[in-house]
Amino acid sequence: MGMLDSFEKKLDRLVNGAFAKAFKSEVQPVEIAANLQRELDDRATIVSRSRTVVPNVFRVELSGPDYQRLSAYEHTVSDELAGLVRDYAAEQRYAFVGAVEVTLAEEPGLTTGLFRIRSEVRPGAQDAPGQVDVTGQPHLEVDGITYPLHAVTRLGRGSDVDIRIDDPGVSRHHAEIVLGTEVTLRDLGSTNGTLVNGRMVRTAALADGAHIQMGSTNLTYRAR
């Protein structure tokens, strides 16, 4: 990491941390836009030499006062932010697997001037610019939704994983799938464990059609 990158991260922590708490400054849409751009860069995942996938669904969590102020213009703000996400992704040659969606939400635990962004890759039936075609590529099917796999794909309930599974029985960092000569699933020390074809495993080779269970969520591995 270069000096400028390090300084930028330190400045970001100050602006969104101590300064916001001290001065109670209100969140501005331009701040949200900058953080959405950073979220795309931080969570960009290389699927192939010519394709980098980024999240397409974003939840912007705001304090009560900030949400009340911005919610009056929620439709306009959300549409504008989604447009900026699409424009930046096109500029960086990022790809989406579904339509871009940005929503605002109130989070009681946040104070005025603080906000948090949660993002996920959520494939959808609707076409979107840069939508990923997984035909011929290893992927997972989860509740009828298709997720492309890359060299190492981490699954779990946390916000920093590649495929987020919203299930209380799933650990934040539950398991990962590694592509190689064999496609291997590794449990990452999850609380409730991982089943492959009905058998509890720590590590397992995946064949086409393998059934995976994490918590109460069922997944199917497809080789192509």
Side-chain angles (χ1 to χ4, degrees), residues 18 26 33 149:
E26 297 178 329
L149 296 175

Side-chain angles (χ1 to χ4, degrees), residues 2-223:
M3 291 180 62
L4 290 176
D5 289 337
S6 179
F7 176 79
E8 182 178 336
K9 288 184 179 296
K10 290 178 181 178
L11 180 61
D12 180 69
R13 285 197 293 270
L14 285 174
V15 171
N16 285 311
F19 287 172
K21 291 178 181 178
F23 299 107
K24 305 293 184 183
S25 58
E26 297 178 329
V27 171
Q28 301 298 325
V30 67
E31 297 177 84
I32 299 174
N35 277 265
L36 285 170
Q37 175 180 313
R38 188 174 295 113
E39 186 77 4
L40 290 175
D41 292 335
D42 289 347
R43 297 204 58 197
T45 301
I46 299 174
V47 175
S48 66
R49 178 179 294 182
S50 60
R51 179 172 290 153
T52 300
V53 176
V54 289
N56 60 300
V57 176
F58 304 86
R59 173 186 167 95
V60 182
E61 298 180 347
L62 301 156
S63 68
D66 283 318
Y67 177 74
Q68 291 300 320
R69 179 173 55 87
L70 292 177
S71 62
Y73 315 97
E74 183 170 4
H75 183 72
T76 299
V77 170
S78 295
D79 284 351
E80 289 292 333
L81 290 173
L84 289 171
V85 167
R86 285 191 290 268
D87 290 345
Y88 183 71
E91 179 183 317
Q92 300 299 316
R93 297 186 178 179
Y94 291 153
F96 301 117
V97 299
V100 175
E101 177 184 332
V102 179
T103 58
L104 307 181
E106 183 176 353
E107 175 52 56
L110 294 173
T111 55
T112 303
L114 294 177
F115 66 95
R116 179 168 55 226
I117 293 176
R118 299 189 186 277
S119 65
E120 62 178 296
V121 175
R122 185 188 297 172
Q126 296 182 351
D127 290 335
Q131 186 169 1
V132 173
D133 179 4
V134 297
T135 303
Q137 300 180 25
H139 60 275
L140 285 180
E141 295 176 354
V142 188
D143 296 328
I145 299 174
T146 301
Y147 294 85
L149 296 175
H150 45 95
V152 179
T153 303
R154 182 163 289 192
L155 303 91
R157 192 165 44 85
S159 60
D160 57 343
V161 297
D162 300 300
I163 299 177
R164 188 163 180 254
I165 301 173
D166 189 12
D167 181 332
V170 173
S171 298
R172 289 178 57 79
H173 296 159
H174 195 104
E176 66 183 13
I177 295 176
V178 181
L179 301 184
T181 305
E182 287 188 322
V183 177
T184 305
L185 179 142
R186 299 172 182 165
D187 184 89
L188 299 176
S190 64
T191 300
N192 297 316
T194 303
L195 297 174
V196 174
N197 296 328
R199 183 171 62 90
M200 188 73 71
V201 301
R202 293 297 300 274
T203 302
L206 298 178
D208 185 42
H211 176 75
I212 304 165
Q213 183 174 346
M214 299 178 184
S216 60
T217 300
N218 296 311
L219 310 89
T220 303
Y221 166 72
R222 298 295 182 188

